Amino acid sequence: MAPHKGRGGREHPREYRISRELTFILRHAAEKEGIKIDRQGYANVGELLQYRKLKGLKATLPDVLEAVSTSDKQRFGLLYIPDQPTSPEISAKEDAAAGDESSLSTATTQALASNDPDPNNYLIRARQGHSMKCIDSASLLTPLTLDNPSIPIPETVVHGTYHATWPKILESGGLRCMGRNHIHFASGPSITSILPNGRDGEIVAPSGKGRGQEGVISGMRADAQILIYIDIKRALAAGCPFGISENGVILSEGMSTDGTEDKKVGLEFFDIVVERKNGLGVLWENGELVKESPDWMLTAKAPVGKGGQRQKGGKGQSSAPRLKVEKDTDRIEED
């Protein structure tokens, strides 16, 4: 099989492609592809291996187990349920255990160590990022509340976005799910690491690609150009729901303020917004717009995989001045 060429003609290894296809089918396409998936997002691994793109990659159970164990953002959860039917219907016992975050993490570890060669004895799910409406969101999350000290409220709740989307966020009045079931937030980098000399000081961009900083596993892409910090205690007090996934991603479906189905995490919950790539610094603070969006931002293109197209000579990031774009339809692995 010829190597797969992704963005910019770069060749992706087979292991990456298998992980990417697992992410896509479990988050977005199981129903469309006729793969049975339960309300908690679990699909039977034996059935999943019959998915046309995984078959094309000649994926096996060991490949799936490797994708689970090596995922840098711990995207997948795994259950070992021997002698189960092919349909991923979980018994009442497993259904109860699925609501406990620590039990699920242990279940994944135990499943990886089971040494059973039968793929039909395993269930797998994506831990967050779903767009399929059949998934019961509550089963994926531990709710965050102001009155439960056993589940601490994260000190940092930050959403990463891009130059092209910031003006649209302002215009729409906040953050929306945009096709997914939840808005995604990370627990870092903290405001103090970005602004070590105070909010009026110089922006310090995190070193490297941003993954693994301050214990952060997932929840935001490393190339985020704009960081939106949320006052989560204020949002929770106002009734805006938040939860945390098995792998530490903070999620919210937003809330409606006008009685309609239009839900969002509104601008009123934005603490501070920082642009960290082009030297703009603080854009929003204390409920007010600090800096107007420059003309180049108003016409910026979103990066590849975020509604944008590939930029020649770049990495799909909008910048000033803008670069000529070319079409690239390669689907990339998500956060």
Side-chain angles (χ1 to χ4, degrees):
M1 181 182 298
H4 178 268
K5 291 187 177 181
R7 292 180 290 168
R10 185 174 67 235
E11 292 183 357
H12 289 313
R14 177 174 172 273
E15 293 79 9
Y16 169 85
R17 295 166 61 195
I18 290 173
S19 178
R20 183 188 67 174
E21 295 302 343
L22 284 171
T23 300
F24 178 72
I25 192 72
L26 291 170
R27 287 180 173 179
H28 310 300
E31 285 187 304
K32 180 180 178 181
E33 296 291 339
I35 294 173
K36 295 177 182 177
I37 191 164
D38 73 4
R39 63 189 180 88
Q40 295 177 342
Y42 285 106
N44 180 275
V45 173
E47 184 175 349
L48 196 62
L49 288 173
Q50 300 306 308
Y51 170 48
R52 55 190 174 84
K53 291 197 174 182
L54 289 175
K55 286 184 70 175
L57 290 166
K58 296 183 168 63
T60 64
L61 173 61
D63 292 326
V64 173
L65 299 180
E66 181 180 9
V68 173
S69 64
T70 62
S71 175
D72 58 344
K73 294 191 175 184
Q74 299 181 12
R75 293 179 176 92
F76 308 110
L78 196 67
L79 288 178
Y80 175 59
I81 307 178
D83 303 320
Q84 62 154 344
T86 300
S87 175
E89 293 298 331
I90 303 178
S91 68
K93 180 179 179 181
E94 281 78 31
D95 193 35
D100 186 289
E101 183 178 340
S102 61
S103 295
L104 280 173
S105 297
T106 301
T108 295
T109 301
Q110 292 174 341
L112 289 170
S114 64
N115 293 320
D116 187 337
D118 187 352
N120 293 306
N121 288 336
Y122 297 85
L123 299 176
I124 186 174
R125 75 173 177 183
R127 284 171 161 165
Q128 89 285 328
H130 302 83
S131 61
M132 293 180 290
K133 302 306 178 185
C134 67
I135 305 300
D136 175 21
S137 299
S139 70
L140 299 169
L141 304 177
T142 299
L144 296 173
T145 66
L146 295 173
D147 55 3
N148 186 357
S150 65
I151 304 174
I153 303 299
E155 292 185 7
T156 298
V157 177
V158 56
H159 177 80
T161 191
Y162 299 89
H163 294 141
T165 53
W166 172 241
K168 297 179 177 65
I169 291 169
L170 286 174
E171 183 179 0
S172 66
L175 295 168
R176 289 177 167 82
C177 294
M178 302 303 290
R180 291 197 187 186
N181 295 348
H182 296 99
I183 307 158
H184 288 210
F185 302 87
S187 57
S190 64
I191 296 176
T192 54
S193 69
I194 296 294
L195 295 164
N197 298 316
R199 297 192 176 200
D200 295 328
E202 183 178 352
I203 302 293
V204 175
S207 59
K209 293 186 177 180
R211 292 183 181 179
Q213 294 181 11
E214 304 181 19
V216 177
I217 296 171
S218 188
M220 181 174 67
R221 284 181 58 175
D223 62 349
Q225 299 156 337
I226 292 175
L227 305 181
I228 300 174
Y229 288 88
I230 302 298
D231 185 338
I232 187 171
K233 291 184 178 180
R234 182 178 179 185
L236 288 171
C240 188
F242 283 82
I244 188 164
S245 69
E246 294 172 64
N247 57 336
V249 178
I250 303 159
L251 300 135
S252 176
E253 63 181 17
M255 63 182 291
S256 173
T257 57
D258 57 6
T260 69
E261 295 184 358
D262 180 25
K263 296 181 179 180
K264 61 188 176 185
V265 175
L267 294 172
E268 64 270 25
F269 304 131
F270 289 13
D271 179 12
I272 188 170
V273 178
V274 177
E275 195 282 332
R276 63 173 182 170
K277 297 292 185 178
N278 283 5
L280 295 182
V282 176
L283 304 177
W284 175 283
E285 188 176 15
N286 297 326
E288 295 183 354
L289 187 65
V290 174
K291 196 169 293 182
E292 295 287 345
S293 302
D295 290 342
W296 62 262
M297 189 183 290
L298 298 174
T299 55
K301 300 294 184 182
V304 178
K306 290 293 180 180
Q309 296 176 323
R310 176 71 182 168
Q311 295 181 350
K312 289 183 177 179
K315 294 183 179 180
Q317 298 176 358
S318 58
S319 58
R322 289 167 57 214
L323 303 172
K324 184 178 180 181
V325 301
E326 61 181 30
K327 185 177 181 180
D328 178 40
T329 57
D330 179 52
R331 187 173 70 245
I332 63 172
E333 196 165 28
E334 302 172 82
D335 58 356

